[in-house]
Amino acid sequence: MAQKPMTKTQLVAALADELGSDKKAAAAALDAVSSVVSKEVANGGAVTLPGIGKVYCRERPERMVRNPATGEQIKKDADKVVKVTIAKALKDSVNG
């Protein structure tokens, strides 16, 4: 059975322990990182988190999709989607 994902509180506690800092400073650091990543990706940029992966925004073209309930074809407008490419180091640590 799969484990539950780590919550923000648990992540902040683990960061504080790893840094030898208090939870308040770890929470501020985590919030700052997430804010920087959000702003950069929203502006069309990309952010590489060393050892974790690359977060970027990709544009999807206009396309035809099917409503599964009715089978009707609908035109879906172009949109943007956030993608994450996982770093090889993280893949290797999970598999090895």
Side-chain angles (χ1 to χ4, degrees):
M1 182 169 181
Q3 232 180 346
K4 284 188 173 183
M6 185 181 269
T7 64
K8 182 179 178 180
T9 305
Q10 292 169 331
L11 180 58
V12 166
L15 280 172
D17 193 39
E18 191 74 23
L19 292 171
S21 174
D22 62 339
K23 290 181 183 178
K24 188 174 183 178
L30 181 61
D31 289 341
V33 168
S34 66
S35 175
V36 168
V37 170
S38 296
K39 287 178 189 173
E40 185 64 26
V41 172
N43 290 331
V47 177
T48 300
L49 301 170
I52 297 174
K54 180 179 176 182
V55 182
Y56 60 97
C57 184
R58 187 176 77 82
E59 292 187 19
R60 288 196 294 192
E62 183 179 276
R63 61 200 184 279
M64 295 299 289
V65 295
R66 188 179 67 84
N67 181 340
T70 64
E72 176 188 8
Q73 291 280 340
I74 308 167
K75 183 177 83 170
K76 185 158 172 35
D77 294 334
D79 61 350
K80 294 179 181 179
V81 62
V82 176
K83 295 287 203 172
V84 178
T85 302
I86 304 302
K88 185 176 183 326
L90 182 57
K91 288 180 191 176
D92 290 346
S93 71
V94 169
N95 291 324

